[in-house]
Amino acid sequence: MDAEAAVAWLDAIIPPQTGERLSDLQKVILVQVWLGRKYLDIAHSYGCTEGHAKDAGSQLWKLLSKVLREKITKSNCRATLERVLRKTTAISSLIDHSRSPHFTPKLEDTNFLGRTEAIAHLNTLVNQGSKVIVIQGEGGLGKTTLAQQYLHQGFDLVLELLMAKETQNITPAERVVEEWLKQDFDQEPGVEFGVTLGRLKRQLHNRRIGVLIDNLEPALDQQGGLIASHRNYVELLRVLADARVQSVTLITSRDRLCEPGLNVNHYRLPGLDQNTWQQFFSNRGLTIDSPTLQIMHRTYGGNAKAMGILCGSIQEDFDGDMVLYWQENHADPLAATDLKNLAVSQINRLQVLDPQAYRLLCRLGCYRYQDIPSISSQGLFCLLWDVPPAEHRQIIASLRNRSLVECDKGEYWLHPVIRAEAIARLRPSDEWEIVNHKAAEFWTASVKQIESFKDALQALEAYYHYIEIHEFELAGKVILKSRNNQWQQFLPLGSTLYRMGLIQPILTAINQVVKNLENDQNLTELYNILGDLYWITGKISQAITCQQKTINLATQALKSLVPQPENKHSVYYLRMLEVDSLLSIGLYKIDLGELETAAKLFQQVIYLAQNTEHHSWAEKASVCLALVYSYLGLRDASSALANVAYQNITNEKLVEQTGRFVYFMQILGQTYVNLGDFYRANQILHQALTFAEESHYMQVKAKTLNGLAEIHRQQADFALALTHHTEAIELLDIIGAKCDLAEAYFQLGLTYQKMAKPDESQMNFNRAIQLFTEIKAPKQVEKISNCATQSCVNHSCYY
């Protein structure tokens, strides 16, 4: 369904209901808003003020709300009308009507001219079955604009990937697909990249989706293939090129993509013709001198970005006099078809005309424009530390007026070519370090509380600036900076990112820091977080190594501290990390099935923390020890420890610590399952489930469901047991908790075994064995193998 059909339909139904008709301006507004245009652009195109266009739009939304009997706004009009029209049985006749000569012609966007043939060419390729099309050409031709216009007019959803401007900053394909699944499909990625790609492919089968991969060339080698460090992009493109998906992918690149295993088509985008240049300049009020325009057009090869930069310079610096401008600049040796040369020319000229704006332009090159593609005005102000605040906006306006900075809704960014030249000038200057410091401080200050995916990524931007200037200690502090988050906890950024599922970026970030730091106090906590990251991904050996490093570093630091009042906090902090790492290793050992070792570790934590400032760690360790004893068959010892924890919880001593202690509540519930006390197990597990759902703690929710499934199995309520098993496995698969997933498959196998379904039982036992083998947990594999050969009657196969 397109906008023209919607206008035709409204023209048919509005007069009988209201006696009114849509005005020409209202029709234009509806069509342009349908295409995602802003009021300012609509006003310029129609020839009225922005205020008049907004007033007409306001009346339009009120009229449509009245006719359709539901709230219509600028932001929801397209989705609402498409939904209503799909329900209308007369859609086909309306489409025919929309093609009648009585329909108001669609207004051409003055910012998107001369690409009728290009759109037709893309349509032909798509109609012939092309799934991936590379729009190729030099910088500034308008490749990105063409791709965006094409995709945003005919697809249910558009996924965009803005490739990093520098090769070393390219986002891994794994992370790109993870973010698409999480943000655009409300799906969680898998543990392995192949699984994640499979989930993306299923989404591409179900909906008509457009994909834009912008500025691919930094990821290509000299032969046009994907560079060795980013070969996973080949696998992503192979999925996007599959003939069975409904998606269409447009790639913009200066270089040709030469991957023999990929089925892609190339379209070489030509420059704009002279008539388009003339229309562009005329729309902006310039007096056209045809001979001069012809020479300028030929000189710059019809380059779209050059057209915009020239127009801005003629307007701002030569009062709209095209002839005078060319008299001054025609002999410039940089006047070539290459846009980089044009950018150099314009930046050199800015350096002479407005040194302050020139300095800001170079400083803006420090921003990555990648995960966070645009910068707020505050991000520009912070780079003007040596300029009076009263002059800030004037300097920014100077860049905007010369088309050297892009802007939309108060957000700013640099065109890739402009940014490349800006950063090339900034790096060797004496401002390189201070600019990155200022930018990092801006990002850190801009995020007070982490409530969303964007907040977390924005906070992490400071890390990249410190890495650029080799300030690894400060980069580590970015990862360790604590903020309130959506779980009402005060956690380091690294821990928050981990909980939000952003495992890969924080893994990379911490590893980059730790390999460049020596004898730094931040290493102690960084290794502590890194251990948990490895644990969740099933790399337990590496996880244990990290926690042991934390313990060693903490012990060494404690020995060097003089017992004085000013060292009190440092001592507390180091003791806390020591006991926390011991507790973590104990949990890892449970997942490995090394129960005796785990018990000794928990006993050690209790010894170190009991009746100290870290007593809460002793309470957690006691709960873990109760679980281990229940697996080992030490029922009396397990019950004694569990009952103490149960009394604490029922006395509301630990109830308020939902963020941290909820993990240990589900451990207590599992202990009571193993002990056969299903009443208390049910009580604790349901309480943990409530807390986990409120705080979006998916791992705890899944483990709790698994415990409840065991109870239902023992009570022969197999239907409910299977329901809980299935939900737990789905959640654990989503978050990639490999050890927990292996245990969940094992428990499902036990349930099928008790149901006398040996095939289903063995299938799930095999899945569990495969995962535990990958984790390198031989005791777990042995446990499952024993259960597979005999009917297990106990609640656990550990005893």
Side-chain angles (χ1 to χ4, degrees), residues 477-508:
K477 288 182 178 179
V478 170
I479 296 170
L480 296 179
K481 180 174 174 57
S482 294
R483 293 178 178 86
N484 290 317
N485 59 29
Q486 60 183 320
W487 304 289
Q488 285 72 53
Q489 288 181 276
F490 192 68
L491 286 182
L493 176 61
S495 298
T496 301
L497 286 166
Y498 149 61
R499 282 203 175 194
M500 295 180 78
L502 293 170
I503 295 173
Q504 191 56 48
I506 199 62
L507 256 175
T508 302

PDB file of all heavy atoms in Angstrom, residues 477-508:
ATOM      1  N   LYS A 477      38.689   2.765  34.021  1.00  0.00           N
ATOM      2  CA  LYS A 477      37.781   3.440  34.947  1.00  0.00           C
ATOM      3  C   LYS A 477      36.400   3.653  34.327  1.00  0.00           C
ATOM      4  O   LYS A 477      35.394   3.664  35.039  1.00  0.00           O
ATOM      5  CB  LYS A 477      38.381   4.771  35.379  1.00  0.00           C
ATOM      6  CG  LYS A 477      39.565   4.620  36.331  1.00  0.00           C
ATOM      7  CD  LYS A 477      40.110   5.970  36.773  1.00  0.00           C
ATOM      8  CE  LYS A 477      41.265   5.784  37.766  1.00  0.00           C
ATOM      9  NZ  LYS A 477      41.833   7.088  38.198  1.00  0.00           N
ATOM     10  N   VAL A 478      36.352   3.837  33.003  1.00  0.00           N
ATOM     11  CA  VAL A 478      35.056   3.952  32.320  1.00  0.00           C
ATOM     12  C   VAL A 478      34.254   2.666  32.517  1.00  0.00           C
ATOM     13  O   VAL A 478      33.059   2.686  32.829  1.00  0.00           O
ATOM     14  CB  VAL A 478      35.249   4.234  30.815  1.00  0.00           C
ATOM     15  CG1 VAL A 478      33.922   4.116  30.070  1.00  0.00           C
ATOM     16  CG2 VAL A 478      35.846   5.620  30.604  1.00  0.00           C
ATOM     17  N   ILE A 479      34.909   1.532  32.348  1.00  0.00           N
ATOM     18  CA  ILE A 479      34.238   0.233  32.494  1.00  0.00           C
ATOM     19  C   ILE A 479      33.786   0.012  33.935  1.00  0.00           C
ATOM     20  O   ILE A 479      32.749  -0.611  34.184  1.00  0.00           O
ATOM     21  CB  ILE A 479      35.190  -0.890  32.046  1.00  0.00           C
ATOM     22  CG1 ILE A 479      35.518  -0.746  30.558  1.00  0.00           C
ATOM     23  CG2 ILE A 479      34.588  -2.268  32.335  1.00  0.00           C
ATOM     24  CD1 ILE A 479      36.635  -1.646  30.075  1.00  0.00           C
ATOM     25  N   LEU A 480      34.547   0.554  34.883  1.00  0.00           N
ATOM     26  CA  LEU A 480      34.251   0.310  36.303  1.00  0.00           C
ATOM     27  C   LEU A 480      33.374   1.395  36.927  1.00  0.00           C
ATOM     28  O   LEU A 480      32.992   1.264  38.092  1.00  0.00           O
ATOM     29  CB  LEU A 480      35.560   0.211  37.092  1.00  0.00           C
ATOM     30  CG  LEU A 480      36.474  -0.957  36.711  1.00  0.00           C
ATOM     31  CD1 LEU A 480      37.737  -0.932  37.549  1.00  0.00           C
ATOM     32  CD2 LEU A 480      35.749  -2.296  36.867  1.00  0.00           C
ATOM     33  N   LYS A 481      33.052   2.440  36.167  1.00  0.00           N
ATOM     34  CA  LYS A 481      32.233   3.513  36.739  1.00  0.00           C
ATOM     35  C   LYS A 481      30.832   2.981  37.044  1.00  0.00           C
ATOM     36  O   LYS A 481      30.146   2.442  36.178  1.00  0.00           O
ATOM     37  CB  LYS A 481      32.134   4.708  35.796  1.00  0.00           C
ATOM     38  CG  LYS A 481      31.286   5.842  36.375  1.00  0.00           C
ATOM     39  CD  LYS A 481      31.303   7.088  35.508  1.00  0.00           C
ATOM     40  CE  LYS A 481      30.339   8.144  36.048  1.00  0.00           C
ATOM     41  NZ  LYS A 481      30.617   8.524  37.445  1.00  0.00           N
ATOM     42  N   SER A 482      30.400   3.165  38.283  1.00  0.00           N
ATOM     43  CA  SER A 482      29.089   2.651  38.708  1.00  0.00           C
ATOM     44  C   SER A 482      28.011   3.702  38.507  1.00  0.00           C
ATOM     45  O   SER A 482      28.229   4.903  38.720  1.00  0.00           O
ATOM     46  CB  SER A 482      29.141   2.217  40.172  1.00  0.00           C
ATOM     47  OG  SER A 482      30.001   1.101  40.332  1.00  0.00           O
ATOM     48  N   ARG A 483      26.856   3.242  38.088  1.00  0.00           N
ATOM     49  CA  ARG A 483      25.669   4.079  37.924  1.00  0.00           C
ATOM     50  C   ARG A 483      24.454   3.282  38.361  1.00  0.00           C
ATOM     51  O   ARG A 483      24.469   2.055  38.356  1.00  0.00           O
ATOM     52  CB  ARG A 483      25.467   4.477  36.458  1.00  0.00           C
ATOM     53  CG  ARG A 483      26.504   5.410  35.867  1.00  0.00           C
ATOM     54  CD  ARG A 483      26.184   5.654  34.400  1.00  0.00           C
ATOM     55  NE  ARG A 483      27.088   6.576  33.748  1.00  0.00           N
ATOM     56  CZ  ARG A 483      28.251   6.233  33.193  1.00  0.00           C
ATOM     57  NH1 ARG A 483      28.642   4.963  33.253  1.00  0.00           N
ATOM     58  NH2 ARG A 483      29.014   7.135  32.598  1.00  0.00           N
ATOM     59  N   ASN A 484      23.393   3.983  38.685  1.00  0.00           N
ATOM     60  CA  ASN A 484      22.114   3.309  38.899  1.00  0.00           C
ATOM     61  C   ASN A 484      21.640   2.761  37.564  1.00  0.00           C
ATOM     62  O   ASN A 484      21.861   3.363  36.507  1.00  0.00           O
ATOM     63  CB  ASN A 484      21.078   4.285  39.464  1.00  0.00           C
ATOM     64  CG  ASN A 484      21.391   4.681  40.895  1.00  0.00           C
ATOM     65  OD1 ASN A 484      21.756   3.834  41.714  1.00  0.00           O
ATOM     66  ND2 ASN A 484      21.284   5.954  41.207  1.00  0.00           N
ATOM     67  N   ASN A 485      20.967   1.604  37.598  1.00  0.00           N
ATOM     68  CA  ASN A 485      20.472   1.019  36.366  1.00  0.00           C
ATOM     69  C   ASN A 485      19.016   0.626  36.497  1.00  0.00           C
ATOM     70  O   ASN A 485      18.364   0.896  37.512  1.00  0.00           O
ATOM     71  CB  ASN A 485      21.337  -0.184  35.954  1.00  0.00           C
ATOM     72  CG  ASN A 485      21.374  -1.268  37.019  1.00  0.00           C
ATOM     73  OD1 ASN A 485      20.435  -1.439  37.796  1.00  0.00           O
ATOM     74  ND2 ASN A 485      22.466  -2.010  37.078  1.00  0.00           N
ATOM     75  N   GLN A 486      18.496  -0.032  35.453  1.00  0.00           N
ATOM     76  CA  GLN A 486      17.075  -0.356  35.400  1.00  0.00           C
ATOM     77  C   GLN A 486      16.665  -1.395  36.441  1.00  0.00           C
ATOM     78  O   GLN A 486      15.480  -1.619  36.649  1.00  0.00           O
ATOM     79  CB  GLN A 486      16.722  -0.852  33.999  1.00  0.00           C
ATOM     80  CG  GLN A 486      17.489  -2.096  33.570  1.00  0.00           C
ATOM     81  CD  GLN A 486      17.163  -2.499  32.153  1.00  0.00           C
ATOM     82  OE1 GLN A 486      16.012  -2.425  31.742  1.00  0.00           O
ATOM     83  NE2 GLN A 486      18.164  -2.912  31.391  1.00  0.00           N
ATOM     84  N   TRP A 487      17.635  -2.029  37.096  1.00  0.00           N
ATOM     85  CA  TRP A 487      17.321  -3.005  38.142  1.00  0.00           C
ATOM     86  C   TRP A 487      17.436  -2.393  39.528  1.00  0.00           C
ATOM     87  O   TRP A 487      17.512  -3.111  40.523  1.00  0.00           O
ATOM     88  CB  TRP A 487      18.266  -4.204  38.030  1.00  0.00           C
ATOM     89  CG  TRP A 487      18.228  -4.843  36.688  1.00  0.00           C
ATOM     90  CD1 TRP A 487      17.224  -5.584  36.166  1.00  0.00           C
ATOM     91  CD2 TRP A 487      19.246  -4.779  35.690  1.00  0.00           C
ATOM     92  NE1 TRP A 487      17.534  -5.987  34.892  1.00  0.00           N
ATOM     93  CE2 TRP A 487      18.775  -5.507  34.575  1.00  0.00           C
ATOM     94  CE3 TRP A 487      20.499  -4.172  35.613  1.00  0.00           C
ATOM     95  CZ2 TRP A 487      19.515  -5.648  33.406  1.00  0.00           C
ATOM     96  CZ3 TRP A 487      21.234  -4.315  34.448  1.00  0.00           C
ATOM     97  CH2 TRP A 487      20.746  -5.041  33.374  1.00  0.00           C
ATOM     98  N   GLN A 488      17.471  -1.031  39.571  1.00  0.00           N
ATOM     99  CA  GLN A 488      17.621  -0.304  40.830  1.00  0.00           C
ATOM    100  C   GLN A 488      18.873  -0.737  41.597  1.00  0.00           C
ATOM    101  O   GLN A 488      18.895  -0.818  42.815  1.00  0.00           O
ATOM    102  CB  GLN A 488      16.379  -0.485  41.729  1.00  0.00           C
ATOM    103  CG  GLN A 488      15.170   0.324  41.280  1.00  0.00           C
ATOM    104  CD  GLN A 488      14.524  -0.216  40.024  1.00  0.00           C
ATOM    105  OE1 GLN A 488      14.183  -1.389  39.954  1.00  0.00           O
ATOM    106  NE2 GLN A 488      14.368   0.628  39.024  1.00  0.00           N
ATOM    107  N   GLN A 489      19.925  -1.012  40.837  1.00  0.00           N
ATOM    108  CA  GLN A 489      21.212  -1.348  41.432  1.00  0.00           C
ATOM    109  C   GLN A 489      22.247  -0.307  41.050  1.00  0.00           C
ATOM    110  O   GLN A 489      22.089   0.406  40.051  1.00  0.00           O
ATOM    111  CB  GLN A 489      21.689  -2.722  40.960  1.00  0.00           C
ATOM    112  CG  GLN A 489      20.925  -3.887  41.541  1.00  0.00           C
ATOM    113  CD  GLN A 489      21.496  -5.192  41.037  1.00  0.00           C
ATOM    114  OE1 GLN A 489      21.153  -5.652  39.964  1.00  0.00           O
ATOM    115  NE2 GLN A 489      22.369  -5.785  41.824  1.00  0.00           N
ATOM    116  N   PHE A 490      23.281  -0.222  41.822  1.00  0.00           N
ATOM    117  CA  PHE A 490      24.401   0.680  41.556  1.00  0.00           C
ATOM    118  C   PHE A 490      25.569  -0.188  41.137  1.00  0.00           C
ATOM    119  O   PHE A 490      26.335  -0.673  41.979  1.00  0.00           O
ATOM    120  CB  PHE A 490      24.723   1.498  42.814  1.00  0.00           C
ATOM    121  CG  PHE A 490      25.662   2.644  42.575  1.00  0.00           C
ATOM    122  CD1 PHE A 490      25.270   3.738  41.819  1.00  0.00           C
ATOM    123  CD2 PHE A 490      26.940   2.636  43.109  1.00  0.00           C
ATOM    124  CE1 PHE A 490      26.123   4.812  41.603  1.00  0.00           C
ATOM    125  CE2 PHE A 490      27.816   3.697  42.904  1.00  0.00           C
ATOM    126  CZ  PHE A 490      27.400   4.790  42.138  1.00  0.00           C
ATOM    127  N   LEU A 491      25.690  -0.425  39.809  1.00  0.00           N
ATOM    128  CA  LEU A 491      26.661  -1.393  39.302  1.00  0.00           C
ATOM    129  C   LEU A 491      27.655  -0.740  38.359  1.00  0.00           C
ATOM    130  O   LEU A 491      27.325   0.243  37.684  1.00  0.00           O
ATOM    131  CB  LEU A 491      25.940  -2.514  38.541  1.00  0.00           C
ATOM    132  CG  LEU A 491      25.168  -3.560  39.339  1.00  0.00           C
ATOM    133  CD1 LEU A 491      24.575  -4.580  38.389  1.00  0.00           C
ATOM    134  CD2 LEU A 491      26.059  -4.245  40.360  1.00  0.00           C
ATOM    135  N   PRO A 492      28.864  -1.300  38.243  1.00  0.00           N
ATOM    136  CA  PRO A 492      29.813  -0.820  37.235  1.00  0.00           C
ATOM    137  C   PRO A 492      29.230  -0.980  35.829  1.00  0.00           C
ATOM    138  O   PRO A 492      28.411  -1.873  35.584  1.00  0.00           O
ATOM    139  CB  PRO A 492      31.035  -1.729  37.436  1.00  0.00           C
ATOM    140  CG  PRO A 492      30.900  -2.275  38.815  1.00  0.00           C
ATOM    141  CD  PRO A 492      29.432  -2.374  39.080  1.00  0.00           C
ATOM    142  N   LEU A 493      29.700  -0.141  34.918  1.00  0.00           N
ATOM    143  CA  LEU A 493      29.215  -0.207  33.539  1.00  0.00           C
ATOM    144  C   LEU A 493      29.449  -1.597  32.953  1.00  0.00           C
ATOM    145  O   LEU A 493      28.584  -2.132  32.258  1.00  0.00           O
ATOM    146  CB  LEU A 493      29.926   0.852  32.687  1.00  0.00           C
ATOM    147  CG  LEU A 493      29.605   0.852  31.192  1.00  0.00           C
ATOM    148  CD1 LEU A 493      28.127   1.113  30.949  1.00  0.00           C
ATOM    149  CD2 LEU A 493      30.465   1.874  30.467  1.00  0.00           C
ATOM    150  N   GLY A 494      30.597  -2.193  33.233  1.00  0.00           N
ATOM    151  CA  GLY A 494      30.885  -3.524  32.698  1.00  0.00           C
ATOM    152  C   GLY A 494      29.866  -4.558  33.132  1.00  0.00           C
ATOM    153  O   GLY A 494      29.408  -5.377  32.328  1.00  0.00           O
ATOM    154  N   SER A 495      29.480  -4.534  34.405  1.00  0.00           N
ATOM    155  CA  SER A 495      28.490  -5.486  34.912  1.00  0.00           C
ATOM    156  C   SER A 495      27.119  -5.228  34.310  1.00  0.00           C
ATOM    157  O   SER A 495      26.363  -6.155  33.996  1.00  0.00           O
ATOM    158  CB  SER A 495      28.423  -5.398  36.440  1.00  0.00           C
ATOM    159  OG  SER A 495      29.662  -5.733  37.021  1.00  0.00           O
ATOM    160  N   THR A 496      26.779  -3.952  34.139  1.00  0.00           N
ATOM    161  CA  THR A 496      25.484  -3.599  33.559  1.00  0.00           C
ATOM    162  C   THR A 496      25.402  -4.058  32.105  1.00  0.00           C
ATOM    163  O   THR A 496      24.392  -4.620  31.677  1.00  0.00           O
ATOM    164  CB  THR A 496      25.254  -2.080  33.649  1.00  0.00           C
ATOM    165  OG1 THR A 496      25.310  -1.685  35.022  1.00  0.00           O
ATOM    166  CG2 THR A 496      23.906  -1.709  33.077  1.00  0.00           C
ATOM    167  N   LEU A 497      26.462  -3.824  31.343  1.00  0.00           N
ATOM    168  CA  LEU A 497      26.484  -4.268  29.947  1.00  0.00           C
ATOM    169  C   LEU A 497      26.336  -5.786  29.862  1.00  0.00           C
ATOM    170  O   LEU A 497      25.633  -6.311  29.001  1.00  0.00           O
ATOM    171  CB  LEU A 497      27.791  -3.834  29.291  1.00  0.00           C
ATOM    172  CG  LEU A 497      27.922  -2.341  28.964  1.00  0.00           C
ATOM    173  CD1 LEU A 497      29.371  -1.999  28.657  1.00  0.00           C
ATOM    174  CD2 LEU A 497      27.041  -1.971  27.791  1.00  0.00           C
ATOM    175  N   TYR A 498      26.992  -6.488  30.775  1.00  0.00           N
ATOM    176  CA  TYR A 498      26.910  -7.952  30.806  1.00  0.00           C
ATOM    177  C   TYR A 498      25.474  -8.407  31.046  1.00  0.00           C
ATOM    178  O   TYR A 498      24.949  -9.292  30.365  1.00  0.00           O
ATOM    179  CB  TYR A 498      27.872  -8.470  31.866  1.00  0.00           C
ATOM    180  CG  TYR A 498      27.493  -9.750  32.578  1.00  0.00           C
ATOM    181  CD1 TYR A 498      27.327 -10.928  31.881  1.00  0.00           C
ATOM    182  CD2 TYR A 498      27.328  -9.769  33.958  1.00  0.00           C
ATOM    183  CE1 TYR A 498      26.996 -12.102  32.536  1.00  0.00           C
ATOM    184  CE2 TYR A 498      27.003 -10.928  34.620  1.00  0.00           C
ATOM    185  CZ  TYR A 498      26.831 -12.094  33.900  1.00  0.00           C
ATOM    186  OH  TYR A 498      26.497 -13.239  34.553  1.00  0.00           O
ATOM    187  N   ARG A 499      24.806  -7.778  32.005  1.00  0.00           N
ATOM    188  CA  ARG A 499      23.421  -8.155  32.298  1.00  0.00           C
ATOM    189  C   ARG A 499      22.482  -7.841  31.138  1.00  0.00           C
ATOM    190  O   ARG A 499      21.485  -8.525  30.941  1.00  0.00           O
ATOM    191  CB  ARG A 499      22.937  -7.418  33.550  1.00  0.00           C
ATOM    192  CG  ARG A 499      23.435  -8.024  34.845  1.00  0.00           C
ATOM    193  CD  ARG A 499      22.508  -7.642  35.977  1.00  0.00           C
ATOM    194  NE  ARG A 499      22.868  -8.297  37.214  1.00  0.00           N
ATOM    195  CZ  ARG A 499      22.072  -8.352  38.265  1.00  0.00           C
ATOM    196  NH1 ARG A 499      20.892  -7.776  38.229  1.00  0.00           N
ATOM    197  NH2 ARG A 499      22.453  -8.964  39.363  1.00  0.00           N
ATOM    198  N   MET A 500      22.816  -6.794  30.371  1.00  0.00           N
ATOM    199  CA  MET A 500      21.961  -6.406  29.252  1.00  0.00           C
ATOM    200  C   MET A 500      22.222  -7.257  28.014  1.00  0.00           C
ATOM    201  O   MET A 500      21.589  -7.057  26.977  1.00  0.00           O
ATOM    202  CB  MET A 500      22.175  -4.930  28.927  1.00  0.00           C
ATOM    203  CG  MET A 500      21.746  -3.988  30.038  1.00  0.00           C
ATOM    204  SD  MET A 500      22.000  -2.249  29.632  1.00  0.00           S
ATOM    205  CE  MET A 500      20.589  -1.980  28.548  1.00  0.00           C
ATOM    206  N   GLY A 501      23.156  -8.181  28.107  1.00  0.00           N
ATOM    207  CA  GLY A 501      23.432  -9.065  26.990  1.00  0.00           C
ATOM    208  C   GLY A 501      24.500  -8.567  26.041  1.00  0.00           C
ATOM    209  O   GLY A 501      24.769  -9.194  25.013  1.00  0.00           O
ATOM    210  N   LEU A 502      25.140  -7.433  26.358  1.00  0.00           N
ATOM    211  CA  LEU A 502      26.209  -6.894  25.505  1.00  0.00           C
ATOM    212  C   LEU A 502      27.543  -7.516  25.917  1.00  0.00           C
ATOM    213  O   LEU A 502      28.460  -6.834  26.384  1.00  0.00           O
ATOM    214  CB  LEU A 502      26.255  -5.377  25.631  1.00  0.00           C
ATOM    215  CG  LEU A 502      25.040  -4.651  25.062  1.00  0.00           C
ATOM    216  CD1 LEU A 502      25.062  -3.188  25.463  1.00  0.00           C
ATOM    217  CD2 LEU A 502      25.001  -4.781  23.555  1.00  0.00           C
ATOM    218  N   ILE A 503      27.648  -8.811  25.742  1.00  0.00           N
ATOM    219  CA  ILE A 503      28.808  -9.540  26.238  1.00  0.00           C
ATOM    220  C   ILE A 503      30.038  -9.278  25.389  1.00  0.00           C
ATOM    221  O   ILE A 503      31.127  -9.011  25.908  1.00  0.00           O
ATOM    222  CB  ILE A 503      28.491 -11.048  26.292  1.00  0.00           C
ATOM    223  CG1 ILE A 503      27.376 -11.299  27.322  1.00  0.00           C
ATOM    224  CG2 ILE A 503      29.733 -11.849  26.646  1.00  0.00           C
ATOM    225  CD1 ILE A 503      26.879 -12.715  27.340  1.00  0.00           C
ATOM    226  N   GLN A 504      29.894  -9.342  24.055  1.00  0.00           N
ATOM    227  CA  GLN A 504      31.062  -9.235  23.188  1.00  0.00           C
ATOM    228  C   GLN A 504      31.783  -7.893  23.304  1.00  0.00           C
ATOM    229  O   GLN A 504      33.006  -7.856  23.443  1.00  0.00           O
ATOM    230  CB  GLN A 504      30.658  -9.498  21.724  1.00  0.00           C
ATOM    231  CG  GLN A 504      31.845  -9.667  20.791  1.00  0.00           C
ATOM    232  CD  GLN A 504      32.785 -10.767  21.238  1.00  0.00           C
ATOM    233  OE1 GLN A 504      32.358 -11.868  21.562  1.00  0.00           O
ATOM    234  NE2 GLN A 504      34.072 -10.475  21.266  1.00  0.00           N
ATOM    235  N   PRO A 505      31.074  -6.757  23.262  1.00  0.00           N
ATOM    236  CA  PRO A 505      31.814  -5.485  23.359  1.00  0.00           C
ATOM    237  C   PRO A 505      32.538  -5.302  24.677  1.00  0.00           C
ATOM    238  O   PRO A 505      33.653  -4.769  24.710  1.00  0.00           O
ATOM    239  CB  PRO A 505      30.729  -4.421  23.159  1.00  0.00           C
ATOM    240  CG  PRO A 505      29.443  -5.109  23.393  1.00  0.00           C
ATOM    241  CD  PRO A 505      29.647  -6.528  22.996  1.00  0.00           C
ATOM    242  N   ILE A 506      31.936  -5.749  25.775  1.00  0.00           N
ATOM    243  CA  ILE A 506      32.604  -5.540  27.065  1.00  0.00           C
ATOM    244  C   ILE A 506      33.738  -6.549  27.249  1.00  0.00           C
ATOM    245  O   ILE A 506      34.756  -6.247  27.883  1.00  0.00           O
ATOM    246  CB  ILE A 506      31.581  -5.596  28.233  1.00  0.00           C
ATOM    247  CG1 ILE A 506      32.173  -4.928  29.466  1.00  0.00           C
ATOM    248  CG2 ILE A 506      31.123  -6.998  28.519  1.00  0.00           C
ATOM    249  CD1 ILE A 506      32.494  -3.482  29.288  1.00  0.00           C
ATOM    250  N   LEU A 507      33.601  -7.743  26.674  1.00  0.00           N
ATOM    251  CA  LEU A 507      34.715  -8.695  26.678  1.00  0.00           C
ATOM    252  C   LEU A 507      35.926  -8.105  25.946  1.00  0.00           C
ATOM    253  O   LEU A 507      37.053  -8.126  26.444  1.00  0.00           O
ATOM    254  CB  LEU A 507      34.287  -9.993  25.983  1.00  0.00           C
ATOM    255  CG  LEU A 507      33.958 -11.210  26.850  1.00  0.00           C
ATOM    256  CD1 LEU A 507      33.449 -12.345  25.988  1.00  0.00           C
ATOM    257  CD2 LEU A 507      35.142 -11.661  27.670  1.00  0.00           C
ATOM    258  N   THR A 508      35.660  -7.573  24.753  1.00  0.00           N
ATOM    259  CA  THR A 508      36.737  -6.965  23.965  1.00  0.00           C
ATOM    260  C   THR A 508      37.356  -5.788  24.702  1.00  0.00           C
ATOM    261  O   THR A 508      38.581  -5.626  24.738  1.00  0.00           O
ATOM    262  CB  THR A 508      36.189  -6.506  22.605  1.00  0.00           C
ATOM    263  OG1 THR A 508      35.621  -7.625  21.925  1.00  0.00           O
ATOM    264  CG2 THR A 508      37.288  -5.900  21.750  1.00  0.00           C
TER     265      THR A 508
END
